[in-house]
Amino acid sequence: MMNSLVDFNDLLYLHPSDTLGVNLVNEQLVGTENYRVWSRAMMITLTAKNKLGFVDGSCRKPMEGSPILYQWERCNAIVLSWIMNTVSKEIFAGIIYSTDAFSVWKDLKERFNKVNGSRIYALHRKIVCSAQGNLTISGYYSRMRQLWDEYDSLVTLPSCECQTYRAYIEHDQQQKLLQFFMGLNDIYTNFWSQILPMSSLPTLGQAYSLISQEESHRGILSVIGNHSVAITADSPTAFYSRNPKMKKFFSQEPL
């Protein structure tokens, strides 16, 4: 069989699990509103399966008479089926007669990859108005990360190694840290209000880790019902004394 002659790392290699009925992602494409999430999820999975070349145009159909033509057509059909398995019935009806995965992918991108000021405004509004509410720290942080990632994908800037770009990245991370703090419930006000005057702020990931630990600590205190300990533990200084790695943030001079 042709597949037995194809190297495992070759784009034309088909793993036994690469079958027509596979549903690669949980997200179903319904239109403009979720195209970017769907396409991102699909690209990650296609990269893992070494089949991204069939949708980005880098693995084109061989000439007639080529010994690998049949294997390419098999792979193309598999990738095309994967796309069809993850779109709505309405979209499916419009691509069922297509025979080229690259053409279908390109068509879907042209139809649904719409970026406009209204979407950017809506995302920005969601970010600045987000609040923890009834969410756990993990749930709140995950929601913020999703909004930030989508916003960044719409307003990307050219990357370089210049000082200006590095300063922009640093500023962007600081803004996200402030947005994260602003949306936290009031019980964490003392926590972040003592961090902000420091000359060196923690990264967003460090801040999330610290607040998650504080959330867990509060949960333990709530279970045991030790109110006197809980009041003492509300002090950010007390919290940091339990986390020696982060004491450095409270040992620095204010700005």
Side-chain angles (χ1 to χ4, degrees), residues 81-101:
S81 75
W82 289 342
I83 297 175
M84 292 179 176
N85 290 342
T86 58
V87 300
S88 67
K89 292 182 179 179
E90 293 77 13
I91 296 175
F92 177 86
I95 63 176
I96 184 59
Y97 295 107
S98 302
T99 59
D100 182 15

Side-chain angles (χ1 to χ4, degrees), residues 16-74:
S17 64
D18 294 337
T19 59
L20 295 174
V22 173
N23 194 337
L24 294 188
V25 298
N26 293 327
E27 186 79 17
Q28 183 184 68
L29 177 63
V30 295
T32 304
E33 58 267 37
N34 76 328
Y35 170 79
R36 297 184 72 86
V37 174
W38 173 84
S39 63
R40 176 62 179 164
M42 284 290 291
M43 290 179 68
I44 291 173
T45 309
L46 288 171
T47 299
K49 286 184 168 292
N50 200 24
K51 293 295 180 287
L52 188 62
F54 286 87
V55 299
D56 68 9
S58 60
C59 184
R60 305 308 295 267
K61 184 176 181 179
M63 300 289 291
E64 289 292 334
S66 170
I68 62 172
L69 176 60
Y70 174 68
Q71 186 67 11
W72 183 92
E73 290 177 336
R74 288 184 64 202

Side-chain angles (χ1 to χ4, degrees), residues 129-178:
C129 295
S130 288
Q132 180 187 350
N134 295 325
L135 294 175
T136 62
I137 293 296
S138 176
Y140 167 59
Y141 181 77
S142 296
R143 185 177 65 183
M144 292 298 291
R145 290 270 1 157
Q146 182 179 358
L147 291 172
W148 287 326
D149 289 345
E150 184 176 356
Y151 184 85
D152 289 344
S153 72
L154 298 180
V155 293
T156 52
L157 296 176
S159 61
C160 64
E161 297 300 324
C162 65
Q163 183 61 37
T164 300
Y165 179 74
R166 288 195 292 270
Y168 168 78
I169 293 299
E170 183 177 344
H171 173 74
D172 179 66
Q173 292 302 304
Q174 186 181 69
Q175 291 301 302
K176 289 175 180 176
L177 181 65
L178 296 177

